[in-house]
Amino acid sequence: MDERPLQPLEELILESLNPRAIRERFGLPHPLSKFTANGMVKEGPCADAILEFVNDLTWETPESARHRAATWFLFESERAFFVACHEAGIGAEKLRSHLALCRDKERSL
């Protein structure tokens, strides 16, 4: 039986609030890794922003400012989305077409 000392509860709670820490702790891939050429996302503010906009598009109500901002960034921006994807090592066209496909499927339900 492995007898490692337990991590303090406060540290566990703080780690649970950080998605990157959870991924690293359990060896999980970045949620956007399938949109990269090599499966590796360059962690940082651009990757975090893209993921936050995807979450806002998914979970916020369509009338909310966050949902509208996510829609603009992910589907309508002509430069911001592509620059952020480039900085994060993500294929912008591949991600945008996937998101559009998901959006179209949801609209048809």
Side-chain angles (χ1 to χ4, degrees):
M1 183 175 211
D2 193 3
E3 295 284 334
R4 291 180 291 166
L6 294 176
Q7 195 172 358
L9 182 58
E10 186 175 322
E11 285 181 30
L12 289 171
I13 292 170
L14 290 174
E15 278 186 21
S16 73
L17 299 174
N18 181 351
R20 188 181 302 170
I22 291 172
R23 282 195 312 274
E24 290 171 359
R25 181 181 182 122
F26 295 105
L28 300 172
H30 191 281
L32 299 173
S33 63
K34 76 178 198 173
F35 302 103
T36 66
N38 61 2
M40 298 296 296
V41 174
K42 295 178 197 168
E43 295 277 359
C46 289
D48 293 345
I50 294 166
L51 198 51
E52 188 65 31
F53 280 123
V54 170
N55 286 332
D56 289 346
L57 184 72
T58 305
W59 299 110
E60 296 292 329
T61 60
E63 303 83 28
S64 73
R66 291 176 72 116
H67 188 274
R68 288 192 312 269
T71 300
W72 176 85
F73 179 81
L74 296 170
F75 297 109
E76 299 168 15
S77 67
E78 295 182 18
R79 189 162 200 282
F81 176 75
F82 292 95
V83 170
C85 285
H86 176 74
E87 290 295 318
I90 296 168
E93 288 295 339
K94 187 175 181 181
L95 176 57
R96 188 173 263 183
S97 64
H98 173 77
L99 293 171
L101 181 66
C102 293
R103 179 183 62 181
D104 294 345
K105 280 184 181 178
E106 183 170 317
R107 285 180 177 171
S108 67
L109 294 178

